[in-house]
Amino acid sequence: RHINTRPLSLPVAAMPADAKPRALLPVRPLLLLLSIPFLSLLLLYGYSSSSAPPLPNAAAVRASPPNPHIRMRRGAAFRSYDDYLRHQLNKTLDPRLRRVWATRDWRRKVDAFARAFRALQAEGLLSNASRALCVGARLGQEVAALRLVGVPDAVGIDLAPAPPLVLRGDFHAQPFADGAFDFEFSNVFDHALYPDRFVAEIERTLRPGGVAVLHVAVHRRGDKYSANDLLDVDGLLALFRRSEVVRVSKVDAFGLDTEVVLRKKRSP
């Protein structure tokens, strides 16, 4: 499946008039695409978190207030935050899924993400100089795609690290300083147990003027690891209190149907 976007008729904030895409840096796409799956397979069962900060405990992550546009799953009523993390890790560390992600799925997903990122470059929303973060990146196909299109300063976070592309980190409490990134991408919003905290961490770690891009499913139930269902895109947009909407578009992205692009306000 490939990613295509088509604008919806929603209010859109104007893009800065002086925003222009920058020329792509020279890359070696074939070498990148061949070497990264090999590294991922090599490290499939040998993850190391010695250099990563510890994941937060339940006291560090507070429950989200009710949102009429976001339905929390009944099964998401975990006894503790650690139970939630263990449940998510059951998918993240599933050996069968990881073999699929590192082999059969690798090339098609890197190619699809690369097409989406090139489109964002053409709109001036992503540049070669951007410091980029992929939130909930698993083995890091989206990180590989960013590097493929000429964005070398890109990294991902996930509950289980996948070096060299993905660091250990919880999207409810990102292990980065305020304003650390120019660009953030995620397609795992439905896995957020606390949607407002998920969004707050993206806004915290984005610099003023930085861009956030989310791929989400609207009115569509996710898999058994999803913690929430997004009933209306307005429910997501309302959580971004420090950002302006650039556009909302249709997208065909591995079961997700909507691309949301936001820019963090330059002043509170």
Side-chain angles (χ1 to χ4, degrees), residues 64-72 189 194-196 199 228-241:
S64 298
N67 185 318
H69 303 286
I70 301 175
R71 179 177 58 215
M72 301 307 298
F189 176 77
Y194 305 128
D196 63 331
V199 168
N228 71 77
D229 297 310
L230 185 60
L231 306 180
D232 191 305
V233 74
D234 288 342
L236 173 61
L237 299 180
L239 296 177
F240 280 87
R241 297 185 176 89

Side-chain angles (χ1 to χ4, degrees), residues 23-38:
L24 298 183
L25 295 175
V27 293
R28 296 182 176 87
L30 183 59
L31 179 62
L32 178 69
L33 292 172
L34 289 175
S35 63
I36 292 177
F38 174 76

Side-chain angles (χ1 to χ4, degrees), residues 116-219:
F117 293 143
R118 287 191 183 103
L120 293 168
Q121 286 174 320
E123 294 180 68
L125 299 168
L126 173 66
S127 81
N128 297 340
S130 295
R131 188 177 187 209
L133 174 67
C134 296
V135 178
R138 292 180 182 162
L139 292 188
Q141 290 100 328
E142 49 268 72
V143 181
L146 282 165
R147 297 183 182 186
L148 179 63
V149 303
V151 184
D153 194 357
V155 71
I157 58 168
D158 206 286
L159 291 175
L165 299 178
V166 181
L167 306 175
R168 185 178 187 234
D170 183 348
F171 51 51
H172 289 118
Q174 291 186 22
F176 305 108
D178 296 358
F181 297 97
D182 306 296
F183 176 87
E184 296 195 28
F185 171 80
S186 185
N187 59 5
V188 297
F189 176 77
D190 61 307
H191 287 249
L193 181 63
Y194 305 128
D196 63 331
R197 182 68 179 177
F198 176 95
V199 168
E201 283 295 276
I202 290 176
E203 290 194 308
R204 179 184 68 78
T205 56
L206 266 182
R207 67 164 178 80
V211 171
V213 177
L214 279 76
H215 287 177
V216 296
V218 181
H219 300 299

Side-chain angles (χ1 to χ4, degrees), residues 81-136:
Y81 191 66
D82 285 341
D83 281 348
Y84 161 76
L85 293 179
R86 280 192 289 270
H87 180 68
Q88 294 300 319
L89 279 167
N90 285 339
K91 179 176 183 178
T92 305
L93 292 177
D94 184 301
R96 182 187 62 82
L97 288 175
R98 296 190 80 85
R99 280 194 295 271
V100 171
W101 296 336
T103 54
R104 188 179 70 203
D105 270 5
W106 185 268
R107 179 63 184 264
R108 74 186 184 96
K109 284 190 174 179
V110 171
D111 287 347
F113 285 128
R115 284 192 292 271
F117 293 143
R118 287 191 183 103
L120 293 168
Q121 286 174 320
E123 294 180 68
L125 299 168
L126 173 66
S127 81
N128 297 340
S130 295
R131 188 177 187 209
L133 174 67
C134 296
V135 178

Side-chain angles (χ1 to χ4, degrees), residues 53-82:
L55 296 176
N57 57 32
V61 184
R62 293 172 299 184
S64 298
N67 185 318
H69 303 286
I70 301 175
R71 179 177 58 215
M72 301 307 298
R73 295 285 185 89
R74 289 185 179 180
F78 300 101
R79 289 177 300 174
S80 69
Y81 191 66
D82 285 341

Side-chain angles (χ1 to χ4, degrees), residues 3-12 116 119-120 123 125 213-218 233 236-237 245-253 256-262:
I3 296 178
N4 291 316
T5 59
R6 178 169 57 83
L8 293 176
S9 298
L10 293 177
V12 173
L120 293 168
E123 294 180 68
L125 299 168
V213 177
L214 279 76
H215 287 177
V216 296
V218 181
V233 74
L236 173 61
L237 299 180
V245 180
V246 175
R247 63 172 169 79
V248 176
S249 307
K250 281 293 183 184
V251 69
D252 180 10
L256 306 179
D257 54 34
T258 303
E259 180 175 80
V260 177
V261 182
L262 305 107

Side-chain angles (χ1 to χ4, degrees), residues 31-54:
L31 179 62
L32 178 69
L33 292 172
L34 289 175
S35 63
I36 292 177
F38 174 76
L39 287 171
S40 298
L41 278 173
L42 197 63
L43 296 161
L44 198 55
Y45 301 103
Y47 302 108
S48 171
S49 59
S50 59
S51 62

